[in-house]
Amino acid sequence: MKGTTVFAILLILGGVSLAGLVGSVVVASRDGYRRLPKETFARTV
C-alpha cells in the first residue's frame, strides 16, 4: 500500500512538471522564441 502512495505522488509531481514545461514552451513560442527569454521564464514561474 505504501509503494502505491509513493508511486501516485511521483506520478502527480511528474505531471505537474510536464505541464509546466509544456506551458513554458507555449509561452516562449507565442512570444517569439529567444527574443525575451528572461521575461518568458519569469512569467511561467
Side-chain angles (χ1 to χ4, degrees):
M1 194 68 184
K2 187 181 179 184
T4 308
T5 307
V6 171
F7 178 72
I9 292 170
L10 288 174
L11 198 64
I12 290 167
L13 287 174
V16 169
S17 63
L18 189 65
L21 186 66
V22 170
S24 65
V25 168
V26 168
V27 170
S29 63
R30 196 173 57 197
D31 274 2
Y33 198 62
R34 298 178 196 262
R35 195 175 50 136
L36 295 168
K38 287 179 184 175
E39 186 181 329
T40 302
F41 178 74
R43 203 177 307 148
T44 56
V45 171

